């Protein structure tokens, strides 16, 4: 029996940025994880609704989103949600990685997104969320 598809939330006010994230990661970031599905959000209200649903396995936020950037939003959600799913922040400049770290992001991607690096990063974060099977 296969696992249900992992649900990834992608947030940016720009549709082309959301598309670039989805296209870089693809529908199957790693063979051992199975397929993923995407939910796109263009506003903070949409992000909060999705995050509150409890159905998101991982979120990817555009650090440059307007008017509220993904970096500040990540920090807010990490402090407000008791069971916050992992969040990956995509930044425009390599030098902004420290801001994503400050936000308590679980990982950072840098534009332009390299498909191999993006898929591997997302796969690593999803693997870290797995609950180990316990026999007994």
């Amino acid at each position: 029996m296969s696992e249900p598809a992992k649900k990834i939330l992608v947030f940016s006010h720009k549709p082309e940025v959301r598309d670039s994230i989805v296209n870089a990661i693809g529908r199957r970031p790693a063979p051992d994880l199975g397929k993923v599905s995407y939910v796109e959000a263009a506003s903070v209200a949409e992000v909060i609704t999705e995050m509150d649903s409890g159905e998101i396995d991982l979120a990817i936020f555009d650090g440059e989103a307007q008017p509220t950037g993904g970096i500040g939003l990540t920090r807010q959600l990490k402090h407000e949600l008791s069971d916050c799913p992992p969040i990956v922040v995509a930044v425009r400049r390599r030098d902004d990685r420290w801001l994503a770290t400050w936000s308590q992001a679980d990982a950072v991607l840098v534009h332009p997104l390299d498909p191999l690096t993006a898929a591997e990063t997302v796969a690593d974060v999803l693997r870290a969320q797995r609950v180990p099977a316990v026999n007994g």
Side-chain angles (χ1 to χ4, degrees):
M1 188 168 109
S2 65
E3 289 183 42
K6 296 288 185 186
K7 198 171 191 182
I8 297 176
L9 172 63
V10 179
F11 163 63
S12 177
H13 72 292
K14 293 183 175 179
E16 63 271 18
V17 172
R18 296 192 304 268
D19 288 346
S20 72
I21 291 169
V22 169
N23 290 332
I25 296 162
R27 298 288 171 192
R28 192 173 185 138
D32 63 310
L33 292 176
K35 292 186 177 179
V36 297
S37 65
Y38 293 95
V39 176
E40 295 186 22
S43 70
V44 171
E46 292 172 20
V47 169
I48 291 171
T49 298
E50 291 297 334
M51 295 294 267
D52 283 345
S53 75
E55 296 177 6
I56 300 301
D57 295 296
L58 175 111
I60 303 172
F61 294 166
D62 175 10
E64 310 292 321
Q66 296 293 328
T68 303
I71 293 170
L73 184 57
T74 297
R75 188 164 175 91
Q76 175 185 341
L77 292 172
K78 289 290 188 173
H79 285 276
E80 291 180 1
L81 298 178
S82 58
D83 193 21
C84 187
I87 301 172
V88 175
V89 175
V91 295
R92 295 260 169 242
R93 299 177 331 131
R94 194 167 293 281
D95 291 346
D96 288 340
R97 287 180 298 183
W98 74 271
L99 280 168
T101 302
W102 166 84
S103 75
Q104 300 177 334
D106 295 271
V108 182
L109 297 172
V110 180
H111 289 282
L113 300 178
D114 172 64
L116 292 175
T117 303
E120 184 177 296
T121 300
V122 167
D124 287 346
V125 174
L126 285 171
R127 282 187 201 104
Q129 297 305 307
R130 285 186 174 166
V131 177
V134 178
N135 293 329

